[in-house]
Amino acid sequence: MAAPTLRQLEYLVTVVDTGSFTRAAEQLHVTQPALSHQVRALERTVGGPLLERLPRSVRLTPMGRAVLPHARAALAEAERLHTVARRTSGLEEGELEVAAIYSVSLGILPPVLRAWRRRHPGVRIRLREYPHTDRLQAAMDSGRADLAVGPAPTAWDGPIRELGVEEFAIVLPADDPLAERPTGTVALIDLADRAWVHYAPDNGLADLLDRACAQAGFHPRAAIRTEQTPAAPLLAAAGLGPALVPANAVPPHFDGALLRPDPPIRRTLTAYTRTRPDPLTVAFTELLADQARVNPAGFPPTVPLPPRADAPARSAG
């Protein structure tokens, strides 16, 4: 049996993305009969229908839903192969696709991207941002990026580079009584009776906050929920409630108070790829490992927190 061609896979993906054979044919600059012929040929190759033709749209069949991620990954891999060939021939241009969770793109990547731009001005960076670790890993697994930057993935077969251990902070208004504590720490249970600046369910930090508070013995009430991670420290500083945020996501010269949770809340940040990375991806990863500041200066302090007898330090996933 013949293998699907890249053209057939491109036609399938374009039909799905545009929602119709007519629009896909226009975008691909082919006739609609030629497009339909190639999709039918692909369906014969894989052994079943991939698309259900509706009067005004198309819908993936169960087999189509199974095939589509592999089609996208194959097209992305082919594009990377073409890019690698151009790099090998000595061309200092191209595009690197980097995927990251929201907090990483806010707190860690900007100085790295600035340094990259100075060193490789001819290489464009396409940044894809995701609200949840699971969605980041799924996007990487389906071939939507060359490199993912975020918490350590689960059950990952490709190369992984650890960047450091990220610390989380509790944000309160500057005039909050707890902000005056000389230790600069606060136990989550001390905030159990407060309503929190929480996150929308599709933001991965919502799960993290719920798990941390559950380990402390309570469920956090939400005063407000935000989809955007950068909004949480601003809302907390304005007095809407405490917020749990990555310390590196808090902007410089911040008006609110940052306290260290006791016990600390941490997670390991990584950079990972699906396969052995090409030289350009390796170069970006090396720069990321060298330039990334996983925690801002002065947080956490150089003197470690004294251990608590009632709650050991934990790692937040």
Side-chain angles (χ1 to χ4, degrees):
M1 179 181 295
T5 67
L6 287 174
R7 175 180 294 181
Q8 291 169 348
L9 297 178
E10 180 186 14
Y11 285 7
L12 171 66
V13 169
T14 306
V15 170
V16 172
D17 288 347
T18 60
S20 79
F21 278 80
T22 301
R23 288 191 292 271
E26 293 173 353
Q27 182 171 315
L28 293 165
H29 304 291
V30 298
T31 65
Q32 189 168 332
L35 174 62
S36 298
H37 173 75
Q38 290 295 332
V39 172
R40 285 195 297 270
L42 176 61
E43 291 175 324
R44 289 194 298 270
T45 298
V46 301
L50 301 174
L51 297 169
E52 180 182 356
R53 281 77 166 172
L54 303 175
R56 295 183 179 277
S57 63
V58 296
R59 183 165 56 198
L60 285 164
T61 66
M63 180 178 289
R65 289 194 292 272
V67 167
L68 184 64
H70 298 282
R72 292 191 189 278
L75 293 173
E77 195 66 32
E79 177 60 28
R80 279 192 286 274
L81 179 62
H82 176 65
T83 302
V84 169
R86 292 169 60 196
R87 295 169 189 160
T88 304
S89 66
L91 296 177
E92 289 295 326
E93 61 181 35
E95 184 173 79
L96 187 66
E97 297 193 46
V98 178
I101 56 171
Y102 284 166
S103 60
V104 164
S105 64
L106 168 72
I108 293 178
L109 284 185
V112 177
L113 295 175
R114 183 169 59 249
W116 178 263
R117 181 67 175 172
R118 289 197 299 263
R119 297 185 187 189
H120 303 278
V123 179
R124 299 181 302 277
I125 298 290
R126 176 179 294 182
L127 181 60
R128 301 182 183 274
E129 300 171 275
Y130 296 91
H132 200 287
T133 301
D134 292 345
R135 290 178 60 181
L136 172 67
Q137 183 172 335
M140 190 64 194
D141 194 40
S142 65
R144 290 181 175 269
D146 301 297
L147 179 75
V149 186
T154 57
W156 191 256
D157 294 330
I160 302 175
R161 174 75 175 268
E162 288 195 5
L163 301 176
V165 177
E166 180 181 46
E167 297 277 350
F168 280 76
I170 299 293
V171 179
L172 295 171
D175 59 356
D176 191 286
L178 292 178
E180 302 300 323
R181 290 188 170 184
T183 61
T185 65
V186 62
L188 290 184
I189 194 63
D190 293 341
L191 301 168
D193 61 343
R194 300 201 188 188
W196 286 70
V197 174
H198 213 315
Y199 297 93
D202 64 347
N203 187 313
L205 295 182
D207 295 338
L208 190 150
L209 175 59
D210 285 341
R211 289 198 305 270
C213 292
Q215 291 179 22
F218 70 98
H219 181 76
R221 294 181 294 113
I224 188 172
R225 289 184 180 269
T226 176
E227 295 181 356
Q228 299 297 325
T229 301
L234 303 178
L235 294 170
L240 275 75
L244 179 68
V245 301
N248 57 51
V250 178
H253 314 298
F254 181 63
D255 282 340
L258 267 66
L259 286 81
R260 298 178 302 280
D262 182 12
I265 299 174
R266 302 175 173 126
R267 65 181 175 184
T268 300
L269 292 182
T270 63
Y272 57 97
T273 58
R274 289 192 311 114
T275 58
R276 182 178 178 181
D278 64 78
L280 194 57
T281 304
V282 169
F284 186 87
T285 304
E286 292 295 330
L287 181 66
L288 180 64
D290 180 64
Q291 298 281 331
R293 297 294 176 260
V294 175
N295 295 300
F299 192 99
T302 55
V303 179
L305 297 175
R308 286 170 57 99
D310 58 341
R314 62 183 175 271
S315 174

